């Protein structure tokens, strides 16, 4: 009964108090403007450019690169190494730790570049699945008509064994059940977005700036203080195109690395009014399956994924083998 009361209160807040003065397009434009301004501000604090040594290690060669401290990224390093390496690199390991491809390097370091077939596949697979969820949120945010209230909630940790990547979304529609045509349209929009081959950008910002950027989304507003409290008062944002969302990451560096994909199902989350779970399945580009095998993956992805979300759950990066926790 108490949970039901809390859900009704949240719905009431969303429909009234936090109804954004800005339109959805205006809110997105404002968020991107703040993102760019913060990137420029952080870049201006770098001051005099210092050089660092980046020791790149691969099975066939070791290379020492001279790069710019707090400016150069693993993507920049990959471009210096070769076009082939640049095209397939999905995630970096910097001094043994996972590192986003478009995140600046801060000191002398050892660098490994992982592709989606690398032996360290647990780490890179989790980053791939997380990125798929992030992009799913971008698609959902753009497809609904302006008069329908849509607020992105969150995407739980990547659990590869679950069979689907997911995103939970508040939609002001009661008992909505998408048609087959609507599901096909969602998948088509997803494919259209990844085919733009967009880089996935990353930035860390303060809690206060995050609250300002997401003032149109009451769900994110309620989550941000808890996330900041668990992460030294910092919020990590990712951006693809003009879509910005919150995640601890890491993510793969470019949407071009995602191949065949399908938005397989939408389930209403039990005990959560107007909260829907979108589920999808995807393969890395270059991995080919026949229609029968891929159909099995699609059917599995249609089953309700019961992975739960927590602002603390992203603290662990071994999500691929995390045991699923059930809502009920």
């Amino acid at each position: 009964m108490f949970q039901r009361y809390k859900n009704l209160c949240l719905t009431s807040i969303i429909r009234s108090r936090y109804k954004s003065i800005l339109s959805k397009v205006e809110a997105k434009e404002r968020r991107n403007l703040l993102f760019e301004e913060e990137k420029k501000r952080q870049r201006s604090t770098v001051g005099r450019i210092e050089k660092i040594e980046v020791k790149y290690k691969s099975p066939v060669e070791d290379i020492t690169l001279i790069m710019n401290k707090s400016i150069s990224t693993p993507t920049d390093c990959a471009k210096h190494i070769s076009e082939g390496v640049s095209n397939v690199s999905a995630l970096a390991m910097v001094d043994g730790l996972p590192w986003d491809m478009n995140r600046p390097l801060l000191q002398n370091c050892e660098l490994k570049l992982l592709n989606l077939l690398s032996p360290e596949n647990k780490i890179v697979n989790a980053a791939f699945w997380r990125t798929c969820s992030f992009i799913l949120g971008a698609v959902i945010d753009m497809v609904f008509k302006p008069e329908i209230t849509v607020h992105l909630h969150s995407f739980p940790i990547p659990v590869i064994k679950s069979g689907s990547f997911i995103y939970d979304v508040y939609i002001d529609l009661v008992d909505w059940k998408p048609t087959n045509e609507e599901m096909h349209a969602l998948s088509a929009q997803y494919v259209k977005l990844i085919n733009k081959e967009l880089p996935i950008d990353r930035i860390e910002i303060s809690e206060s700036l995050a609250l300002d950027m997401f003032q149109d989304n009451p769900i994110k507003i309620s989550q941000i203080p808890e996330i900041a409290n668990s992460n030294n008062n910092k919020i990590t944002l990712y951006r693809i195109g003009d879509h910005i969302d919150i995640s601890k990451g890491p993510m793969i560096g470019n949407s071009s690395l995602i191949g065949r994909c399908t938005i397989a199902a939408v389930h209403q989350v039990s005990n959560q009014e107007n909260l829907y779970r979108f589920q999808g399945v995807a393969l890395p580009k270059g991995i080919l399956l026949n229609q029968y095998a891929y159909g099995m993956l699609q059917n599995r992805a249609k089953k309700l994924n019961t992975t739960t979300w927590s602002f603390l759950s992203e603290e662990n990066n071994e999500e691929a083998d995390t045991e699923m926790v059930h809502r009920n």
Side-chain angles (χ1 to χ4, degrees), residues 188-201:
Q189 286 296 325
Y190 198 101
V191 171
K192 183 178 179 180
L193 180 56
I194 63 173
N195 283 346
K196 291 182 179 179
E197 301 187 353
L198 297 170
I200 296 166
D201 207 356

Side-chain angles (χ1 to χ4, degrees), residues 144-190:
F144 285 90
K145 295 178 180 178
E147 59 267 24
I148 298 174
T149 300
V150 176
H151 290 306
L152 299 183
H153 183 289
S154 57
F155 50 101
I157 59 174
V159 180
I160 311 302
K161 293 177 181 178
S162 71
S164 60
F165 58 84
I166 52 185
Y167 206 118
D168 293 341
V169 185
Y170 171 92
I171 305 173
D172 196 14
L173 295 172
V174 178
D175 295 328
W176 176 58
K177 294 180 176 60
T179 64
N180 288 335
E181 289 75 16
E182 288 170 333
M183 293 302 300
H184 289 315
L186 279 168
S187 293
Q189 286 296 325
Y190 198 101

Side-chain angles (χ1 to χ4, degrees), residues 18-144:
Y18 285 101
K19 204 159 190 177
S20 179
I21 297 172
L22 299 176
S23 69
K24 189 172 183 177
V25 172
E26 290 170 335
K28 182 171 286 190
E29 288 177 347
R30 182 178 182 276
R31 189 151 48 242
N32 274 272
L33 178 62
L34 291 172
F35 188 99
E36 281 299 322
E37 288 177 347
E38 179 61 13
K39 274 191 68 175
K40 290 177 182 177
R41 186 197 68 79
Q42 291 185 17
R43 174 63 180 83
S44 68
T45 63
V46 173
R48 184 174 63 86
I49 295 177
E50 298 180 34
K51 297 298 181 179
I52 57 174
E53 286 190 358
V54 179
K55 296 180 179 179
Y56 167 69
K57 292 186 173 293
S58 78
V60 296
E61 62 180 344
D62 291 351
I63 300 173
T64 298
L65 302 168
I66 305 301
M67 307 301 290
N68 295 324
K69 179 180 178 180
S70 300
I71 298 175
S72 299
T73 66
T75 293
D76 296 322
C77 295
K79 290 177 180 177
H80 282 290
I81 296 163
S82 74
E83 184 178 358
V85 169
S86 177
N87 288 340
V88 301
S89 294
L91 187 70
M93 297 292 288
V94 176
D95 291 334
L97 297 175
W99 198 270
D100 292 275
M101 290 295 296
N102 297 313
R103 180 181 179 183
L105 300 166
L106 305 178
Q107 60 189 15
N108 296 337
C109 59
E110 280 193 1
L111 173 70
K112 287 183 68 176
L113 297 173
L114 308 182
N115 60 56
L116 291 168
L117 300 177
S118 292
E120 298 91 339
N121 64 338
K122 183 195 296 186
I123 296 170
V124 74
N125 282 350
F128 176 79
W129 220 234
R130 184 185 294 108
T131 307
C132 289
S133 289
F134 166 62
I135 295 174
L136 178 55
V139 170
I140 297 165
D141 199 42
M142 71 172 69
V143 296
F144 285 90

Side-chain angles (χ1 to χ4, degrees), residues 34 47 94 171 207 229 240 246 296 306-307 314:
L34 291 172
V94 176
I171 305 173
E207 177 186 348
N229 187 54
I240 182 169
I246 301 169
M296 292 178 64
T306 55
T307 307
E314 290 262 12

